[in-house]
Structure formats: structure tokens, C-alpha cells
Amino acid sequence: MSEEINRRDFMKRTTLATVGTSIAMTGMSRRVLGANDRVVIGLIGAGRQGTGNMRAFIHHGCEVASVCDVYQPNLDKGLQAAGANAKGVKDFRQVLDNKDIDSVIIGTPDHWHALPMVEACKAGKDVYVEKPISVVVDEGKKMVEAARKYKRVVQVGTWQRSNLHFQKAVEVVQSGVLGKVGFAKTWNYSNTYPDGIGAPADSDPPAGLDWDLWLGPAPMVHFNQNRFGVDNTKWSTFRYFYDYANGWLGDWCIHLLDIVHWAMKVDGPTAITASGSKFFLKDNSDTPDILQVTFEYPDFICTYENRLLNQNSMYDHGYGIEFHGTDGTMFVDRSGFKVFPEKKAYRGEKAGLSMQMDEVDDGLANHVANFLECLKTRNRPASDIEIGHRTSSACLLANVALRSKERIGWDVANQHITQGSPEAKKLLSREYRAPWKLVV
């Protein structure tokens, strides 16, 4: 009985505290903006992710003035979703030149996140940019610098921070209910053996695609359907090529690790090791089919596992986060969370509390609402660009460790490598193909 009373008392306290935080963060999430305070937006990148984000903005009463994409079929679909007042363009600079636009959404492939975001800040626009914010760490530093220099509100698309159940889960970890947390685990498991994403031959670009502009600052290569990756039946496969992205680390690990950073109150790891390879998949991607990463922090360890050859999971979930404490373990994903009390072997009794939450709200809608509220208040949003940069950096550094086959030491405060070869340090930046330059 006493455990149940304590459990109820705890949940009451965390509910009040977290709901208060949620209201402060997402106060606009239950209403639509009126005509007098309507925000005018532009969309850069009208693929599946960008268009989905745009719909969330429209739901909150925003007007879309411009939709940009270098691929005509995507542009057509984006314009159809945007409404009659939107103008279609193929060069993002035309969006930034529009003085009527207050804010832009950047939903492009990852290698096109940094440059439009920095230029948008210089043009006086606030920005909602997808994660990971960059392909290399040095780009992220410049993105933070631009947001601060030009005093812009920049929200990163790590929208789980705006989910009420993730907020409560973080409150549980920080409350001490799990005891001292010394280990966290994150993962993505699936089975795409043997073909993976396939291996199509290089070909001519499809009609309606400006391949040179799609590549932008990335190296010039022949068109390949997987490098481009647009497919109505699945998420774009550009993310599995290092010229444009960072594989599963940049695509999914960032969502999971972001919650770990938030719950554990850290800005980044002090060291990273990674091992993995493409053992069996017969596709043309750059990324491994088995991956194990260890992130070291001053007071705990976090791992990330990615398997593309076996999808078995002890929770029957293909992804998730675990926090292992001295008094209990929490499992959390987008469907809710559950706490499992620890059994003290030497006393034969439970040391913690059992609790569960499976009521899930609309994190993306809340996240957009938080951003729109910050356009008025000029406060920093739930996933401010620096928060997004810190989490992105950890995932990008994991790829530095993987590709260099080295243990990478990281100075979190000053953001530089303390252990690693000159070759590893080169992976913190990338050359931009002319005429593109990233200048703050």
C-alpha cells in the first residue's frame, strides 16, 4: 500500500510540474492563430518531411507565401498542400528575398540544412530547421553563431521535446525515482537483408530535377536514384550516403540521444568509440548494417545500436531508449514510457516504483506551436539551435569515430577534439563545391 501511495504522490507531483512546463512551452498548441497575428512562411524543401512540417504550420493558422524545391513533382505536391496564395520557386534564395515572409521551414536533405539556415538568419527570417542540423560539426557551430549574431529564433525539428509523455519521462529520471542512472541504451533494429536499399546503376536525372542544384555544396557525381532517394513508398535514401547525411546516426540516433541529453542534463559526451561495418547487405549505401557506439559522459555511459540484419527486441519495439538506475529501469519511445522497479538481490525486495504512461499527444503540433509563440516573445524555443547542435554533434562525432576507427576525445565546452588523429579532425568539416560558401 505504501508503495502505491508513494507512486500516486509522485505521479501527482510530476504531472503538476511537467504540465506546467508543457503549458509554458506549448501554450498555443490548442488554438489557431487569428488573422491579425498570422505568420507568413516559406518552405524550402517540399519533400515528405518538409511538406508534413508545413501542414503543421498551416494548422496553426500560418500562411504559406512560397514553396521551393528543385524537383518539379515535389514542388507541385508542395504547392497543392500550401494553398492558392503560395508561389513556387526552385532556388531557396528567391524565398529569402521575399520581404513578406517572416519565417522559413528547411526540410531539405541534410547537406542543404546549414547554408539556407545561415542565409535565412542574415535575411532577417526566423527558422524551423530539420534535424540533424548539419552534416559536419563545424557547420553546426556556424549555424549557432548565425542565430545569435542576427538574433533569430531557430527551432530544430527534434519535436519529441514537445511531447508531454517525453517531458514526464524526463521528469521521472531527474526526480531520482530510478536512483542513480549509470547507463542508458538507445537502438534501432530492423531487417532489410539481403538487398537493403538496392543498388541501382547511375543514370540520367529524371525529368523535372535540377541535379546540379540538388547536389549544391556536395561533390559533383553522376545521378543515382538512391543518392537522390525520392520514393513515395519510403523515406528518402539520400541519408545513407556520407556526401549528404550520416546514416542512422544522423537520422534516428539524434532523436533518441536528444532525450538522453535532456534527461541527464548534459551537453555532450567526453569520448566516443564506434565499431561497425557492412557485413551482408548488397546495396550501394555508405553506411554499416551493424553498428555499435559508446558515448562516454562524466557520470554515465550511453550506447547506440543499429542492426539492419535482425529486428528482434526484448520490448518488441524497433527503437527505444532505456535508462538504467540503481532503483529502476525506464523504457520510453513515442508510444509512452514504463518504469520497472529494480529488485535488490541481497534483500529480495523491490527498490523502486512501478509506473507507466501511454497517453501520447501530438509532439509536432506542440513543437510548431512553441516555435510560433517564440516568434512573438523572442524567447528561445524548446529545441533551440544550440541544443540541436549539441545533440547533432554527438551523433556526427560517432561517425567520425566510426570512419576513422579511433577513440575520439571531445572537449564539450570548447567543442574541439582532444583525442584523435589529424585525419579524424578533418572529418569535422567539409569542402563546399563552388560557388557555394558558408559565411556567417
Side-chain angles (χ1 to χ4, degrees), residues 346-359:
Y346 63 91
R347 290 188 302 194
E349 62 184 35
K350 291 183 179 180
L353 305 177
S354 297
M355 59 186 70
Q356 182 173 344
M357 180 177 179
D358 53 15
E359 298 174 5

Side-chain angles (χ1 to χ4, degrees), residues 14-15 17-27 29-30 128 155-172 252 255-256 258-259 262-263 319 321 330 332-337 357-371 381-383:
T14 57
T15 297
T18 314
V19 167
T21 302
S22 177
I23 291 172
M25 292 172 58
T26 63
S29 64
R30 298 296 179 259
Y128 185 101
Q155 176 90 296
V156 178
T158 43
W159 51 263
Q160 291 177 162
R161 285 187 177 241
S162 295
N163 266 126
L164 181 58
H165 81 278
F166 275 111
Q167 295 168 10
K168 288 189 175 184
V170 167
E171 184 77 12
V172 170
W252 254 103
H255 274 306
L256 307 175
D258 189 54
I259 300 301
W262 184 19
Y319 70 96
I321 309 165
M330 172 189 286
V332 59
D333 69 1
R334 291 177 178 176
S335 63
F337 71 82
M357 180 177 179
D358 53 15
E359 298 174 5
V360 178
D361 58 352
D362 190 335
L364 177 58
N366 295 345
H367 210 52
V368 170
N370 168 242
F371 174 65
S383 290

Side-chain angles (χ1 to χ4, degrees), residues 117-118 121 139-151 385 440:
M117 179 263 166
V118 168
C121 290
E139 284 181 326
K141 290 182 181 179
K142 290 183 178 181
M143 294 168 81
V144 176
E145 180 185 353
R148 301 297 182 251
K149 179 177 179 179
Y150 299 104
K151 296 179 172 57
I385 184 63
V440 177

Side-chain angles (χ1 to χ4, degrees), residues 393-407:
S393 292
C395 298
L396 303 182
L397 288 167
N399 257 333
V400 172
L402 175 70
R403 298 174 70 184
S404 66
K405 302 185 187 304
E406 299 177 33
R407 182 178 187 271

Side-chain angles (χ1 to χ4, degrees), residues 48-331:
R48 185 173 178 179
Q49 185 68 58
T51 301
N53 290 341
M54 179 181 67
R55 286 193 177 100
F57 276 77
I58 293 171
H59 171 76
H60 285 289
C62 295
E63 177 183 343
V64 182
S66 185
V67 175
C68 173
D69 203 283
V70 300
Y71 184 45
Q72 190 64 46
N74 275 1
L75 183 57
D76 292 341
K77 291 177 183 177
L79 286 170
Q80 185 177 10
N85 294 328
K87 177 183 178 182
V89 298
K90 290 194 174 183
D91 190 320
F92 75 92
R93 290 167 293 192
Q94 294 174 269
V95 178
L96 303 186
D97 287 341
N98 188 331
K99 303 300 182 183
D100 295 329
I101 290 176
D102 304 301
S103 177
V104 297
I105 304 166
I106 300 176
T108 59
D110 300 359
H111 72 292
W112 263 118
H113 286 176
L115 204 155
M117 179 263 166
V118 168
E119 292 301 315
C121 290
K122 290 161 70 173
K125 316 294 187 188
D126 297 310
V127 183
Y128 185 101
V129 60
E130 265 306 327
K131 58 79 207 165
I133 66 164
S134 58
V135 172
V136 291
V137 173
D138 284 354
E139 284 181 326
K141 290 182 181 179
K142 290 183 178 181
M143 294 168 81
V144 176
E145 180 185 353
R148 301 297 182 251
K149 179 177 179 179
Y150 299 104
K151 296 179 172 57
R152 307 323 304 167
V153 175
V154 181
Q155 176 90 296
V156 178
T158 43
W159 51 263
Q160 291 177 162
R161 285 187 177 241
S162 295
N163 266 126
L164 181 58
H165 81 278
F166 275 111
Q167 295 168 10
K168 288 189 175 184
V170 167
E171 184 77 12
V172 170
V173 175
Q174 295 179 352
S175 74
V177 164
L178 302 181
K180 296 186 181 300
V181 176
F183 181 70
K185 177 181 178 180
T186 63
W187 70 91
N188 292 105
Y189 300 151
S190 61
N191 191 336
T192 60
Y193 177 82
D195 296 325
I197 63 172
D202 292 347
S203 65
D204 292 332
L209 172 64
D210 187 332
W211 179 237
D212 180 73
L213 191 52
W214 187 94
L215 289 171
M220 172 56 71
V221 295
H222 290 295
F223 174 84
N224 184 277
Q225 180 57 40
N226 273 352
R227 284 179 171 269
F228 176 49
V230 173
D231 188 323
N232 292 331
T233 65
K234 59 187 177 183
W235 291 101
S236 299
T237 50
F238 71 82
R239 62 199 72 212
Y240 308 122
F241 295 86
Y242 289 129
D243 282 345
Y244 324 118
N246 278 269
W248 286 83
L249 281 163
D251 187 36
W252 254 103
C253 180
I254 182 173
H255 274 306
L256 307 175
L257 194 65
D258 189 54
I259 300 301
V260 175
H261 280 190
W262 184 19
M264 299 300 290
K265 299 181 179 180
V266 295
D267 288 329
T270 56
I272 309 98
T273 54
S275 58
S277 185
K278 184 186 285 188
F279 290 104
F280 299 114
L281 288 186
K282 298 177 175 62
D283 61 23
N284 65 341
S285 70
D286 294 338
T287 51
D289 53 30
I290 297 291
L291 174 65
Q292 175 80 43
V293 180
T294 300
F295 300 95
E296 301 176 31
Y297 299 83
D299 299 316
F300 72 100
I301 298 293
C302 178
T303 61
Y304 174 71
E305 296 178 3
N306 181 226
R307 295 197 308 249
L308 303 182
L309 304 173
N310 178 285
Q311 62 183 347
N312 185 55
S313 168
M314 62 187 297
Y315 294 101
D316 196 28
H317 287 253
Y319 70 96
I321 309 165
E322 290 176 340
F323 294 94
H324 293 270
T326 54
D327 292 337
T329 294
M330 172 189 286
F331 165 76

